[in-house]
Amino acid sequence: MDRRFKLEILSVTSENGGHKTFEMKNVFDVSPGQFFMITDYENGEKPFSVSRITPDRIFFTVKEVGSFTTKLFEMSAGDSVYVRGPYGNGFNCELLAGKRLLFLGGGCGTGPLRSLAEFLPAETEITFINGARSKDDLLFKDGLAVPLSDFCCATDDGSAGTVGNVVDVCKNSVDLNSYDYIVTSGPEPMLCAVRDYISSFSVPAFYLIERYMKCAVGICGQCSVDPVGVRVCVEGPVFTGEMLNRLSEFGVYKRDASGTKHYFKGASGT
Amino acid sequence: MEQSKKLSSVFMNHALANPLVLPAGVMDVSHGSMLFAVENGAGMVTMKSCTLEPRSGHPGPVVCEIEGAMINAMGLCNPGIDRGLEEIATFKKFSDVPVIASVFATNVSDFLKLTQSVNDSSADFIELNLSCPNVSSEFGTPLSASSEMVAEIVRAVKSESKLPVFAKLSPNTHDVIGIAREAEAAGADALVLINTVGPGMVIDIDARRPVISAKFGGISGPAVKPIAVKLVYQVSGAVQVPVIGMGGITSGRDVIEMLMAGASLAGVGTAIYYRGIDVFAKINAEIEEFLEMNGIESVTDIKRIEC
Ligand SMILES: Cc1cc2nc3c(=O)[nH]c(=O)nc-3n(C[C@H](O)[C@H](O)[C@H](O)COP(=O)(O)OP(=O)(O)OC[C@H]3O[C@@H](n4cnc5c(N)ncnc54)[C@H](O)[C@@H]3O)c2cc1C
Ligand SMILES: Cc1cc2nc3c(=O)[nH]c(=O)nc-3n(C[C@H](O)[C@H](O)[C@H](O)COP(=O)(O)O)c2cc1C
């Protein structure tokens, strides 16, 4: 049953790049890549991925972009929000466990990758390439709660880690063929660059994508991706590379609250 | 999709693979979402009700599941009629399944403008949403609460429309049968019922706030089915035009029940929440099973019960 839980914010941590991480009690059966709908009953109800899962806690890492997130940023430990979920397919943890994985993350997209990295069993070999515009935007730059085979950062301006974006790092210093799977999450232009670059390799990939979401239970159709119509809230938010290649809207446009298309910069409407 | 002839029919000169219709507002704001329903077995689809101008709809929360039902107040979000009709055109590049263009307005002249746009589109039918309960704070009582209004709008649209005209009726009035008769007399080619019931209200007792941001929302899903069956039964007994029956249909047996109440086709909306997007294929298989077990040749042989 689609129940909303009143959850107290237990802690708020400021992160780089104007992000904040909110800690709440874990009263759910949730896995990495899934998301929740959070409301304050005043500023809308919005989807957020879990960025860390422990047996008794869940964490959300949020960027302030508009009315709801601004309200959330004003909240502190002791305040409450109303949460329903988890929703979406999440990552296929069974498949990924124990494999050699390349994680490519950018912006708040690194949140769900962190939860996955920390969730998978220790024998999983993970290379985590974490990208941002500059040092001050870089999330989780001090690494994660678990040791990884490799954790490296890339910034566009070179102020931390390697100069360039995650794809540049891949081109210069990563042998894609030595991985079983690529898992990527971040802003859509970054995901497109990843898709384009890895298309000449045969490593299967998983992409976590976002679309404007309303009901989150698969009936309103707002987050369907053309032309297949798969719903980010039910069939997603994690899609295989094969499915992504069938979603011709990906990287080209996304729909707003009315369903009107908005084209990404550089993409043209036809 | 491979389907048996037992489920097919001809509805107003359109060949349908099966009697299941995706209703307005459920998974149909884009060509992709409508194609996904067809891929999963819908026989006909409706595009989300479009207004002249785009609408973002109400802020969230817009839905809430309750025992046996769903309550929603999306707030008629839609990209506006021009873009909505582009979605239908794109849909038609991929599929030849018939499409109903649902339109919403609050007065005759806007309904006429919408009709002119739909005339020049690739839609197969036009449906007048006379019954959205979720914008009443904005627009007042649903239009289908007044039989004069319904008659006036249907008559005006009918005189302008190149396409068959469907009138979608509200269950939330005292005289649904009278309104249905008026709509038929005014020229409606088919009636669609029911829209959502209520509206209703759910309070989050922890927050001491209504769950739905618009306070009230229309109720759909299994709990409203007896109301839908009763109204379809009464209306189909009172008019000659076909009735598309919907409201809580979730299984093949529910479809048979709706056909026995007098419907020609059956809408399947909220059931997507309960049984997944492939609910259409599941229901089609269940209808076939019922036909098989009862030695019935075709779903079109199931008629309104005499009682
Ligand atoms: C599956 C999923 C997981 C997400 N996970 C995270 C996360 O972990 N951390 C995080 O910071 N953000 C995440 N987002 C994005 C987050 O939902 C939006 O930033 C948030 O909805 C903005 O709300 P607002 O009122 O502050 O901004 P608004 O003023 O409403 O809008 C600002 C921007 O956010 C986008 N947006 C607004 N509402 C939605 C919505 N309901 N669904 C999707 N996008 C929206 C708009 O397109 C716009 O570009 C996720 C989105 C999805 C779909
Ligand atoms: C989320 C949602 C949005 C809806 N939007 C519309 C709409 O825009 N126009 C309309 O005529 N009916 C709308 N309806 C009503 C449905 O078309 C249908 O009449 C009703 O839900 C009953 O069928 P069901 O129980 O199978 O969902 C909507 C219903 C739901 C659940």
Side-chain angles (χ1 to χ4, degrees), chain A residues 208-223:
Chain A
L208 188 148
I209 79 170
E210 293 180 6
R211 279 295 177 270
Y212 201 96
M213 205 165 271
K214 289 192 170 180
C215 77
V217 294
I219 63 165
C220 76
Q222 198 75 29
C223 66

Side-chain angles (χ1 to χ4, degrees), chain B:
Chain B
M1 173 159 293
E2 188 75 34
Q3 255 161 20
S4 99
K5 290 267 171 298
K6 292 186 163 196
L7 299 187
S8 64
S9 65
V10 174
F11 182 79
M12 298 188 160
N13 300 321
H14 289 269
L16 303 186
N18 64 66
L20 306 187
V21 182
L22 180 74
V26 181
M27 287 279 306
D28 49 17
V29 74
S30 59
H31 64 271
S33 52
M34 294 187 283
L35 287 166
F36 200 32
V38 169
E39 178 68 25
N40 282 285
M44 177 148 88
V45 298
T46 316
M47 166 95 195
K48 173 80 192 171
S49 295
C50 285
T51 46
L52 283 174
E53 298 301 325
R55 289 174 56 87
S56 296
H58 297 312
V62 286
V63 297
C64 179
E65 193 223 331
I66 51 177
E67 192 73 42
M70 178 77 90
I71 167 162
N72 94 82
M74 303 300 301
L76 272 173
C77 43
N78 76 87
I81 189 67
D82 294 343
R83 295 192 189 111
L85 294 172
E86 278 171 28
E87 296 299 325
I88 295 178
T90 313
F91 172 92
K92 289 286 188 178
K93 288 185 196 157
F94 295 88
S95 170
D96 54 10
V97 160
V99 182
I100 306 169
S102 172
V103 296
F104 177 90
T106 52
N107 58 63
V108 176
S109 80
D110 284 357
F111 265 116
L112 283 176
K113 285 183 201 150
L114 291 162
T115 305
Q116 284 153 3
S117 298
V118 176
N119 275 343
D120 299 325
S121 77
S122 41
D124 301 288
F125 304 100
I126 182 169
E127 176 173 303
L128 310 177
N129 176 357
L130 302 166
S131 47
C132 184
N134 293 329
V135 288
S136 55
S137 60
E138 193 177 338
F139 297 130
T141 325
L143 294 169
S144 65
S146 143
S147 56
E148 294 81 36
M149 240 356 237
V150 167
E152 194 185 337
I153 291 165
V154 173
R155 194 171 299 114
V157 168
K158 184 63 192 167
S159 69
E160 189 69 34
S161 180
K162 294 181 189 162
L163 300 177
V165 177
F166 299 174
K168 174 123 179 222
L169 304 183
S170 166
N172 311 320
T173 67
H174 290 300
D175 188 22
V176 179
I177 301 156
I179 290 169
R181 282 205 185 97
E182 290 282 353
E184 179 185 45
D189 298 291
L191 302 179
V192 182
L193 62 151
I194 57 175
N195 208 316
T196 50
V197 173
M201 181 176 189
V202 180
I203 296 170
D204 183 327
I205 58 171
D206 298 314
R208 305 172 65 87
R209 296 290 299 262
V211 169
I212 299 287
S213 77
K215 279 191 194 167
F216 315 134
I219 302 165
S220 61
V224 310
K225 198 188 70 181
I227 301 173
V229 169
K230 177 241 188 197
L231 288 172
V232 167
Y233 169 77
Q234 289 181 309
V235 166
S236 63
V239 301
Q240 302 302 313
V241 294
V243 172
I244 301 178
M246 58 184 64
I249 295 174
T250 308
S251 67
R253 295 184 68 89
D254 292 344
V255 172
I256 305 287
E257 185 180 359
M258 197 51 100
L259 300 181
M260 288 185 177
S264 301
L265 301 173
V268 176
T270 306
I272 294 172
Y273 169 75
Y274 293 98
R275 299 186 69 192
I277 185 69
D278 56 345
V279 62
F280 300 97
K282 289 174 182 159
I283 290 182
N284 282 329
E286 290 159 1
I287 298 173
E288 268 196 72
E289 195 184 332
F290 179 87
L291 298 180
E292 201 91 15
M293 298 250 296
N294 292 276
I296 303 169
E297 281 295 299
S298 157
V299 72
T300 56
D301 293 337
I302 298 178
K303 301 286 185 225
R304 185 172 184 273
I305 55 167
E306 304 289 339
C307 66

